[in-house]
Amino acid sequence: MKPAVTKLTGISHFFAAAGYSLGGFRRLIREAAFRQELLFFAFSVILLIVVGATLAELMIAVVLFLALFAVEALNTAIEEVIDRISPEISMVGKHAKDLGSFAVVCMIVACGVFLLFTIGEHLLFG
């Protein structure tokens, strides 16, 4: 029996996966929250550079923001799936969306705490 979907392998798989990721980015950039997080990222990197953050501190900020972007993408995916399979209001759908939103807030707080600590350290002790 022939499979319904033929999986690509090797370099073809790599390019297909890159295309799917680009499609995900194009979808995510339409989200106002993601655009605001991108601005938060740009402002934060500039501020870290201005206060004299080390390369290691800049890399930690980049990793934290990449994690934020990933969580935002997953939250958006949850919202899309819930809206598709359960367009009516349901408590299960509401809980799924609320949990995704909470995950995003946790990452925003993590980014903010790191920034406050790092910037404060450089301004007070740098």
Side-chain angles (χ1 to χ4, degrees):
M1 184 172 168
K2 190 174 182 180
V5 177
T6 304
K7 296 228 177 199
L8 299 173
T9 59
I11 195 75
S12 297
H13 178 270
F14 174 80
F15 286 113
Y20 303 144
S21 296
L22 183 58
F25 177 77
R26 286 183 180 142
R27 168 58 188 92
L28 195 57
I29 200 75
R30 295 190 336 240
E31 290 291 316
F34 179 65
R35 292 191 306 271
Q36 292 165 359
E37 291 157 1
L38 281 174
L39 286 174
F40 178 34
F41 170 66
F43 176 77
S44 299
V45 168
I46 291 167
L47 197 54
L48 285 170
I49 290 169
V50 167
V51 300
T54 66
L55 182 59
E57 290 166 335
L58 286 168
M59 290 301 100
I60 291 169
V62 167
V63 169
L64 280 170
F65 275 96
L66 286 173
L68 170 61
F69 301 154
V71 171
E72 183 65 52
L74 293 172
N75 182 49
T76 300
I78 289 167
E79 290 175 355
E80 292 230 348
V81 169
I82 293 300
D83 290 346
R84 172 72 172 107
I85 63 173
S86 180
E88 72 283 348
I89 302 210
S90 73
M91 287 311 293
V92 173
K94 180 184 180 332
H95 290 160
K97 288 181 172 188
D98 289 349
L99 289 165
S101 180
F102 177 69
V104 171
V105 166
C106 287
M107 283 307 309
I108 290 171
V109 169
C111 291
V113 167
F114 175 76
L115 290 169
L116 286 174
F117 175 81
T118 304
I119 292 166
E121 184 178 44
H122 283 275
L123 291 178
L124 296 174
F125 305 111

